[in-house]
Amino acid sequence: MNEMPREHPPGPSVRVLLAEDQGMMRGALALLLGMEPDIEVVAQVGTGDAIVDAVLTHRPDVALLDIELPGVSGLDAAAELREQAPGCRVLILTTFGRPGHLRRAMDAGAAGFLVKDGPVEELATAVRRVLAGETVVDPGLAAAALSAGPSPLTARERDVLRESAGGATVADIAARLHLSGSTVRNHLSSAIGKTSTRNRTEALHEARQRGWL
């Protein structure tokens, strides 16, 4: 993102937490946002598992979360923050602007959703707007999400697909999710049908591409 200095009226700083697994990107965002006169980056984390504890410790006004993080995803963390830190506004910032991700972010209580290729002044403005109570969404992505419609997958079908990654067997998935083997097979079969694919590997890929996982 390109930094463009501007003047803003004096006032209390907006406290921001950054969750981004790529250290260089995280450092660059912290540096650029820190150059804004009314924004202070109070915490930085590189894994999804660390988000909630960091928010409860540092009490940011806005949590700026990537989606794809080690451990808990940014979307799952957003849902947990809604329960444990309702006063913290969540802004999702991701490389991949997928309609399914936008819908899931809004369902999780996120106040905004932007892609990373925008200018830093747009991000800084979005931080201020979500703190003011607004919802900020990339307009192109919003239109795509409306066209795409909601995910057809049930929560259990999503769980089973996620656990199938890496070549996990039906028995493996059943043990992890405390389900019977027949139930796992039924969920996998349904997910394959809903994604119009031939097998669970293709179904997992398609669901990820559409932002359903």
Side-chain angles (χ1 to χ4, degrees):
M1 293 187 175
N2 299 316
E3 189 275 331
M4 292 181 64
R6 294 165 322 287
E7 294 184 359
H8 296 283
S13 293
V14 182
R15 295 168 59 82
V16 173
L17 172 140
L18 287 176
E20 163 65 54
D21 63 327
Q22 296 183 30
M24 186 175 295
M25 172 65 76
R26 187 170 65 249
L29 285 172
L31 177 63
L32 293 172
L33 286 174
M35 295 175 71
E36 297 290 321
D38 59 339
I39 293 177
E40 178 187 6
V41 178
V42 297
Q44 302 177 44
V45 298
T47 67
D49 298 331
I51 291 173
V52 174
D53 284 345
V55 166
L56 295 177
T57 298
H58 297 280
R59 297 293 176 179
D61 301 304
V62 178
L64 187 57
L65 311 182
D66 192 8
I67 292 178
E68 300 294 337
L69 293 167
V72 175
S73 75
L75 297 176
D76 290 334
E80 193 170 351
L81 287 176
R82 180 173 55 183
E83 301 297 325
Q84 297 200 37
C88 178
R89 301 282 281 173
V90 173
L91 179 58
I92 299 293
L93 183 66
T94 183
T95 302
F96 305 106
R98 292 167 178 160
H101 282 162
L102 172 58
R103 284 183 171 273
R104 289 176 58 207
M106 297 298 103
D107 288 344
F113 195 108
L114 297 175
V115 292
K116 291 179 181 177
D117 59 0
V120 71
E121 67 269 16
E122 180 179 303
L123 176 59
T125 298
V127 167
R128 299 181 187 103
R129 288 178 62 191
V130 298
L131 184 60
E134 298 181 46
T135 299
V136 181
V137 177
D138 178 273
L141 187 57
L146 288 174
S147 299
S151 167
L153 300 176
T154 66
R156 263 309 183 202
E157 288 164 357
R158 292 196 299 269
D159 290 341
V160 168
L161 274 183
R162 285 193 195 96
E163 293 298 335
S164 72
T169 66
V170 169
D172 293 333
I173 300 169
R176 292 171 189 167
L177 297 178
H178 306 290
L179 299 172
S180 68
S182 60
T183 298
V184 169
R185 290 188 185 90
N186 288 340
H187 285 315
L188 286 173
S189 177
S190 179
I192 290 168
K194 289 178 179 179
T195 54
S196 300
T197 53
R198 297 172 296 180
N199 53 57
R200 63 181 183 172
T201 300
E202 290 183 2
L204 175 62
H205 176 75
E206 183 68 14
R208 283 177 169 169
Q209 286 297 108
R210 291 181 176 270
W212 295 341
L213 295 181

